Amino acid sequence: MIELKNVSKVYRNNHIALSNINLTIKKGEFVFVVGPSGAGKSTIIKLLMKEVEPTNGEIYVNGMKLTELKRKEVPYFRRNLGVVFQDFRLLQDRTIFENVAFAMEIIEASSREIKKRVPQMLTLVGLSSKANQYPHQLSGGEQQRVAIARALANNPSILICDEPTGNLDPDTSWEIMKIIDDINKSGTTVIMATHARDIVDKMKKRVVAIEKGVIVRDQQRGVYGYED
Ligand code: ADP
Ligand code: ADP
C-alpha cells in the first residue's frame, strides 16, 4: 500500500512541482499516471523511490514512513520497488544475464540464488536465448524486457514504470504492456507514468491525471483524456 498525504514538492528554484497531493494506491492495483510534460509525474515517481524529499507532507510505502527512514534503511526500503525507465538504463559492458544479476548482487544475494533466479526472470520476459548477448545486440523492445527482468529480480511488491514504452514502436509497446499487465495480474502493484494514449484507453485501468502539480482526475477504468 502506498499513501501520499498532503504532499508538496518545491524545487530549489521555487518551482512548485507538486502541491498538496493526496493519493492512495492499494496493494495489487494498476495505476496510470498521465498529464502534460512538466505536470509532476516524474516527481511523484522520484518521491516514491526516495530520490527526492517532499517539501511538505507524508509518504508511506508498505508501512514505512519514507521521510523518517534512516539513510542506512533506504537500500532495504528500495527492495520493495522495481523501476523501469524510458531509456532502459542497462549496463552496456555487461551481458543480459549480468545486467539482471547486478540487481541481485547489490542486495548481496548468493551466487546460488542468482544462478537460479536470473534464468527464471529471463524466461518470464521471453529472453532466455539472449542471456549471453550484450544490450547493443538487442532491439529496443528486448532491452526493455531485460530492464523489466532486472526490476523484478528481487521480487519487489511494486513495479514503477516511467514512460516504459516511450522509445518503442506501437507493436513493441504492446508486447511490453502485456508483460507489465501479467506482472500486475500476478499480484505486483504497478504504477506507470505514460503518454501512450492508445495503451491507457484500451487497458481500462485506474488513471490519475496530474496538471501543474495537482491531481485533476482520478478515474477507475479511466481514459487518457489528452490529445497529444
Ligand atoms: P513530468 O514528469 O510530468 O514531466 P516533472 O515531475 O519532471 O514533470 O516536473 C514537474 C515540474 O518540476 C516541472 O516544471 C519541472 O521543470 C520542475 N522540476 C523537475 N525537476 C526539477 C529539479 N530538479 N529542479 C527544479 N525544477 C524541477
Ligand atoms: P469522472 O466524472 O469520470 O470522474 P472527470 O469529471 O474527472 O471524470 O472528467 C470527465 C471527463 O473529462 C473525463 O472523461 C476525462 O477524460 C476528461 N478530463 C478530465 N480532466 C481532464 C483534463 N485535465 N484534461 C483533459 N481531459 C480531462
Side-chain angles (χ1 to χ4, degrees):
M1 161 118 142
I2 296 169
E3 197 170 10
L4 285 82
K5 280 188 180 173
N6 305 113
V7 169
S8 298
K9 176 64 188 174
V10 183
Y11 284 108
R12 267 190 295 270
N13 53 2
N14 283 334
H15 194 104
I16 301 171
L18 293 176
S19 90
N20 207 26
I21 295 280
N22 286 288
L23 179 64
T24 302
I25 298 172
K26 294 197 203 81
K27 187 175 175 343
E29 266 197 287
F30 191 124
V31 182
F32 284 119
V33 179
V34 304
S37 289
K41 303 181 296 294
S42 299
T43 299
I44 288 191
I45 285 174
K46 286 176 186 159
L47 286 167
L48 291 176
M49 295 166 64
K50 202 170 160 67
E51 218 177 79
V52 303
E53 295 301 318
T55 311
N56 285 111
E58 292 161 12
I59 303 173
Y60 298 86
V61 176
N62 293 348
M64 284 172 274
K65 187 173 182 180
L66 261 52
T67 41
E68 287 182 357
L69 284 186
K70 300 202 177 73
R71 189 186 298 247
K72 66 170 196 278
E73 295 170 325
V74 172
Y76 176 77
F77 156 70
R78 290 211 176 115
R79 291 184 199 184
N80 291 275
L81 310 177
V83 190
V84 173
F85 301 95
Q86 176 170 1
D87 56 0
F88 322 137
R89 301 196 190 179
L90 301 177
L91 300 167
Q92 295 300 318
D93 58 347
R94 293 185 194 226
T95 65
I96 300 318
F97 185 101
E98 289 164 350
N99 265 275
V100 179
F102 185 69
M104 299 183 70
E105 286 160 8
I106 287 174
I107 68 156
E108 294 174 357
S110 69
S111 61
R112 195 170 136 264
E113 282 174 284
I114 291 173
K115 281 189 192 122
K116 182 161 170 252
R117 179 82 175 162
V118 174
Q120 289 173 346
M121 291 299 98
L122 291 178
T123 301
L124 180 78
V125 298
L127 283 181
S128 350
S129 65
K130 309 267 176 173
N132 296 319
Q133 301 204 10
Y134 287 84
H136 74 267
Q137 296 175 292
L138 270 55
S139 69
E142 288 170 336
Q143 291 189 53
Q144 194 59 298
R145 285 194 265 158
V146 176
I148 292 171
R150 178 182 59 185
L152 296 175
N154 297 325
N155 198 25
S157 61
I158 301 163
L159 180 66
I160 294 176
C161 306
D162 195 354
E163 300 267 4
T165 65
N167 283 347
L168 306 174
D169 63 62
D171 286 350
T172 310
S173 295
W174 274 109
E175 286 169 21
I176 293 297
M177 208 50 236
K178 174 86 175 64
I179 293 171
I180 294 173
D181 194 32
D182 286 346
I183 291 162
N184 172 250
K185 290 198 164 97
S186 74
T188 308
T189 307
V190 172
I191 301 166
M192 173 169 160
T194 188
H195 283 110
R197 174 162 40 123
D198 288 359
I199 285 175
V200 175
D201 286 348
K202 291 204 181 88
M203 295 288 293
K204 298 187 168 55
K205 304 289 190 186
R206 180 177 173 191
V207 176
V208 171
I210 304 181
E211 290 177 30
K212 296 185 177 136
V214 175
I215 294 179
V216 294
R217 170 162 59 102
D218 186 348
Q219 299 175 296
Q220 298 295 330
R221 296 175 65 79
V223 295
Y224 183 70
Y226 297 97
E227 291 308 315
D228 67 352

